Amino acid sequence: MKSFMDYLQYAFYDTTGWDPDNSYPSLTSTAQGLLFFDTPRGLRLNVSSLSSSHSATSYGFGNVGLINGSLSYLYSSTPLRWRSKASTINLHELVEGYRHIQELKPEDGDIANEPWHRSLHIDRNDTFLYGRMYLPRSTLEALYLRRLSATRQLKLACVSDTSSEQSGNILALLQNDYGKFSTEYLYSTDGALLGARGLYNFGYDPRQGSQQSLPPEQLSGRLSAGGEVYYGLLNKSGGVSAGMRFSTLPKHTGFPYTMTLTFNPLMGNLSSSYTVKAGRNVALCSQFDFNFFSYESDLRLGCEIWRPSQPNDAEWAKKLIRNDWKSNALHPEDDSSGVLKARIDQNWKIGLLWEGRIKELLFTLGVSLDMKDKDRLFRGVGAELQFSS
């Protein structure tokens, strides 16, 4: 489950018209959410508040090993209108699971100089600031986001830690999203790393306007391909990877599904995944990895099962409302009280996670099991509670 501050970061993306799914790092986000979710260890409590539409604070406490905690502060120059109370937040916006890829929206005029982008007014001064201090280690984290134009964004992530060799690290990202394709250029002070990423979407070009003249097959799915290359100036080493994804769009009439294929030629790793939304409340995922150098392979299976909320006493009254009246009721997918996530690999390592809501609290319960090690069957057990207002 996302933290409250990560949730507000996505609210900033939504408010400013930025699509985080249209980038190379998000190519395998669906499989990552179903197969590589983190299970909590120990007990952790997070209390957060969106004190105004521009600022928020968060406090965290945990007991993993020693008593530890964190203090966080957030500021956004543009108002964040997403729901902030734990009792009303849409769980599908918090849980990292199956991601429905949306259609590319047509641009409004000359996007290079036009303040209107994807039906939203974009201020070139839109800024997002976030800071977090960990106690008692006194480690600092900072994040700076700034919209430079309707299609460009600058992201700076910083970490200050006296226990590390370099006492900190700064990562700078210059991101461009033109709809049809996106690019990303990065620099990290850790090894003086330079890198570039790109993603290209086949089919519909949002810069050409309406989709009415397109064939039906281009409206029901989208094929994307991209790659990345990076090189460390200090350690004289580099890397490269490529990948592709096919995902159904909202106009697809059958079961939604996503297929991905990634390849790292230097390491010889080939990874493929297939995820299907088998029902309104069920998603299934499988991933197969193979290494051409060592001939080793790995298989992982995962799923998520959503628990619909129980109907309340007002359901009979809602049925009497006329169809032409506007309703503020939640979307059917919002009407969920929790989700069970499970994964297993060929080594019989199992992960179970239950995330949901109890009145004013969001909770996460998780356990990691190693079925081959009878002496250490339980690798980790934990619970996390979140309250926000």
Side-chain angles (χ1 to χ4, degrees), residues 104 131 144 279 312 364:
L104 298 175
Y144 174 80
N312 52 40
T364 300

Side-chain angles (χ1 to χ4, degrees), residues 173-210:
L173 295 169
L174 181 61
Q175 301 170 314
N176 301 282
D177 183 4
Y178 300 100
K180 181 66 173 179
F181 66 94
S182 65
T183 59
E184 189 172 291
Y185 307 97
L186 64 90
Y187 173 78
S188 174
T189 58
D190 186 9
L193 183 69
L194 292 172
R197 300 165 177 160
L199 183 71
Y200 181 83
N201 298 308
F202 295 90
Y204 168 63
D205 189 347
R207 297 171 297 180
Q208 297 179 355
S210 176

Side-chain angles (χ1 to χ4, degrees), residues 71-189:
L71 305 175
S72 307
Y73 179 77
L74 179 150
Y75 169 78
S76 173
S77 62
T78 185
L80 303 178
R81 303 299 185 185
W82 279 19
R83 290 168 285 185
S84 61
K85 292 185 178 181
S87 58
T88 60
I89 291 179
N90 177 10
L91 290 181
H92 287 266
E93 295 173 348
L94 282 175
V95 176
E96 297 179 342
Y98 187 90
R99 298 185 65 85
H100 293 275
I101 303 300
Q102 301 300 314
E103 298 177 352
L104 298 175
K105 297 181 180 179
E107 311 297 353
D108 304 313
D110 182 11
I111 60 175
N113 301 305
E114 181 65 39
W116 289 90
H117 178 55
R118 295 171 182 167
S119 303
L120 296 173
H121 185 272
I122 307 302
D123 188 347
R124 296 188 179 185
N125 296 321
D126 283 341
T127 305
F128 182 91
L129 300 174
Y130 166 71
R132 184 174 185 178
M133 180 174 65
Y134 293 89
L135 300 173
R137 295 183 301 168
S138 298
T139 301
L140 298 177
E141 288 183 353
L143 176 65
Y144 174 80
L145 287 174
R146 186 180 180 90
R147 292 300 301 271
L148 303 179
S149 68
T151 59
R152 181 168 297 170
Q153 177 176 269
L154 176 65
K155 181 177 181 179
L156 295 176
C158 311
V159 177
S160 176
D161 188 359
T162 56
S163 62
S164 63
E165 296 181 358
Q166 298 181 346
S167 299
N169 182 33
I170 298 177
L171 175 64
L173 295 169
L174 181 61
Q175 301 170 314
N176 301 282
D177 183 4
Y178 300 100
K180 181 66 173 179
F181 66 94
S182 65
T183 59
E184 189 172 291
Y185 307 97
L186 64 90
Y187 173 78
S188 174
T189 58

Side-chain angles (χ1 to χ4, degrees), residues 321-388:
I321 299 178
R322 289 168 48 185
N323 295 329
D324 56 343
W325 286 5
K326 292 185 178 181
S327 174
N328 293 326
L330 296 177
H331 188 273
E333 282 197 348
D334 298 354
D335 193 20
S336 300
S337 61
V339 57
L340 174 65
K341 302 173 72 173
R343 66 165 183 257
I344 185 173
D345 61 17
Q346 64 182 24
N347 298 317
W348 287 96
K349 292 183 179 180
I350 301 175
L352 298 174
L353 195 68
W354 173 251
E355 298 175 308
R357 173 169 40 220
I358 301 179
K359 295 185 178 180
E360 302 294 331
L361 286 178
L362 298 171
F363 68 88
T364 300
L365 304 175
V367 57
S368 297
L369 305 173
D370 188 349
M371 303 303 294
K372 287 188 175 181
D373 190 350
K374 302 302 181 181
D375 297 332
R376 294 184 57 192
L377 179 62
F378 291 91
R379 291 303 180 96
V381 179
E384 182 175 353
L385 300 176
Q386 293 191 50
F387 172 82
S388 60

Side-chain angles (χ1 to χ4, degrees), residues 245-313:
R245 174 188 65 194
F246 180 84
S247 181
T248 57
L249 297 176
K251 291 185 178 181
H252 180 67
T253 57
F255 290 119
Y257 63 91
T258 299
M259 298 183 295
T260 64
L261 179 67
T262 58
F263 179 57
N264 187 326
L266 297 183
M267 304 299 295
N269 289 329
L270 179 68
S271 178
S272 63
S273 69
Y274 177 75
T275 309
V276 60
K277 190 80 171 177
R280 173 183 167 185
N281 301 313
V282 179
L284 306 174
C285 181
S286 62
Q287 178 174 296
F288 179 75
D289 299 335
F290 181 77
N291 188 280
F292 287 96
F293 299 151
S294 64
Y295 297 103
E296 294 181 350
S297 62
D298 193 11
L299 176 65
R300 298 182 182 89
L301 303 175
C303 69
E304 65 174 9
I305 304 174
W306 289 85
R307 180 178 184 270
S309 298
Q310 299 298 324
N312 52 40
D313 296 336

